Amino acid sequence: MRQRWHPLARLLAALLLVGSALARAEPLEELALQAALPVDGMATGNLSGLARCGDGAFWAVSDREDDRLYRLQPAAQQWQAEAQAFVAPPPPPSALPWGLRVGKRLLAPLRGGALDFEGLSCDALGNRYLLSESEVAVLALPAAAPPHWLALPPQLLRQARARGLLLHFNALLEGLAVQSDGQRLWLAAERESRGLLAVQRSGESWRCAGNGCVLLAQGGRAQRPLDSPGSPPQALDFTALSWHAGRLYSLERLQHRICRRDPHSGAAQRCWSFAAAALAPERRYDTPYGMAEALWLDDGAAWIGLDNNGAANAAGERRPVILQLAAPAGGWNGRG
């Protein structure tokens, strides 16, 4: 006769299994810092997007400026930013609820940047793409044509909100990655809840990829690395995406990590920490929040842009800073 477990015994066994799994969990590999250089020449700072395009140059965008990109040049002990102006056409009609539309209109005159560009990516032809958080839209800057807004599918916003994404002011879209051939793009919903969305090119317009626009919707809270025990947990987030060598990577500001993710499901495959580099005493900011908002990867390194909102770190640096971190042993696509 098979024995029946008492409910308390089953609970105790489950707790022991969870504790055993946690005990076996390995800490994330720390990425080694190669350089931490400020960016000079961005008039308003607020570096919110970073990409290395077909010309080999790095480009950056500020969420406080609607009419320019910055071409970055390495210089002694810093990066030098050179502005390149463009004129964005009027954005498409917004499907956001009235309250979210009014909130961003009231904030824009106070902070600048009505379009609130929070992501930057490039395809292999050198076309650049800018993510507007306030409009939940993507502006294309073609290499040889005027700027235009992509015709994203209307169900993108409906499906996202039905899954608990894009519900809160200033917590909308925060990351963008474009497939090298320009045929597919991924969008990251920032927080409360966070998520990954994907659309596929269909002629001159776009459609939801696969079985729907939403690949991943995820709630939850966590503490920052190195915070003292008992510190209040905060909402998990995504703040940037990068597409490299056929894989999708997410920048996760709160947890100070980069994760390789399945491009079809959004599931995390492997993660690396940059907490030791970003939270070194001389690079800390007097804030409970992370600053990492821009990401670009290649075979040898990851570049992470810090959007410091003009605040000084412990060393007194008020300019935006880019952290250059060595790729892990075995490469980004190795092991797992």
Side-chain angles (χ1 to χ4, degrees):
M1 180 178 178
R2 194 173 70 179
Q3 287 185 317
R4 297 180 62 188
W5 283 46
H6 190 278
L8 288 177
R10 289 200 298 270
L11 177 60
L12 179 59
L15 291 174
L16 288 173
L17 286 173
V18 171
S20 177
L22 291 174
R24 291 194 304 269
E26 297 180 2
L28 297 182
E29 177 184 346
E30 285 285 344
L31 298 174
L33 181 68
Q34 295 178 313
L37 299 177
V39 179
D40 198 33
M42 292 185 71
T44 60
N46 293 86
L47 192 160
S48 59
L50 183 68
R52 194 172 198 170
C53 296
D55 59 0
F58 273 100
W59 293 82
V61 67
S62 167
D63 61 15
R64 303 296 174 89
E65 296 173 293
D66 293 341
D67 61 354
R68 68 196 65 191
L69 290 176
Y70 288 95
R71 193 175 194 270
L72 303 182
Q73 293 282 3
Q77 305 303 313
Q78 65 183 33
W79 296 66
Q80 185 63 45
E82 177 185 342
Q84 182 183 90
F86 63 85
V87 177
S94 176
L96 287 170
W98 179 84
L100 293 183
R101 296 200 308 271
V102 169
K104 60 103 173 175
R105 288 173 187 164
L106 293 175
L107 183 62
L110 300 175
R111 51 156 279 172
L115 295 176
D116 194 9
F117 288 127
E118 294 286 0
L120 170 63
S121 191
C122 302
D123 62 26
L125 297 177
N127 301 309
R128 292 161 294 182
Y129 302 80
L130 290 171
L131 175 65
S132 168
E133 179 176 22
S134 60
E135 299 294 336
V136 187
V138 176
L139 178 69
L141 299 178
H148 65 274
W149 294 94
L150 300 187
L152 298 180
Q155 59 266 40
L156 173 74
L157 184 60
R158 292 199 301 267
Q159 291 183 15
R161 290 178 61 82
R163 294 285 299 277
L165 308 176
L166 311 183
L167 298 180
H168 305 289
F169 176 70
N170 203 34
L172 301 174
L173 293 177
E174 192 81 7
L176 167 70
V178 178
Q179 195 166 274
S180 302
D181 61 6
Q183 295 301 301
R184 186 180 174 105
L185 62 83
W186 291 263
L187 306 165
E190 183 182 7
R191 55 187 166 85
E192 299 173 304
S193 297
R194 70 176 183 178
L196 296 174
L197 305 97
V199 293
Q200 188 82 28
R201 187 184 293 274
S202 179
E204 295 302 314
S205 61
W206 296 76
R207 58 179 174 81
C208 291
N211 295 323
C213 284
V214 180
L215 304 182
L216 174 73
Q218 186 178 52
R221 305 179 75 83
Q223 290 180 323
R224 274 194 321 175
L226 308 185
D227 275 356
S228 59
S231 298
Q234 301 173 46
L236 298 175
D237 57 27
F238 293 130
T239 54
L241 299 174
S242 184
W243 177 256
H244 170 62
R247 303 290 185 96
L248 182 67
Y249 295 84
S250 59
L251 179 66
E252 307 183 12
R253 176 179 56 199
L254 172 67
Q255 294 170 291
H256 288 72
R257 69 183 194 177
I258 297 169
C259 289
R260 188 179 75 219
R261 292 183 170 272
D262 186 299
H264 304 291
S265 70
Q269 298 174 329
R270 190 178 177 195
C271 299
W272 299 266
S273 173
F274 60 92
L279 298 176
E282 69 276 15
R283 284 186 288 276
R284 289 200 179 198
Y285 295 86
D286 185 18
T287 172
Y289 308 107
M291 298 291 190
E293 292 207 0
L295 175 68
W296 186 256
L297 273 73
D298 66 16
D299 288 342
W303 286 265
I304 294 176
L306 305 185
D307 182 352
N308 61 323
N309 291 303
N313 63 17
E317 180 58 69
R318 290 186 177 276
R319 293 171 293 180
V321 173
I322 294 176
L323 305 179
Q324 181 181 337
L325 303 153
W332 300 108
N333 289 357
R335 192 165 64 84

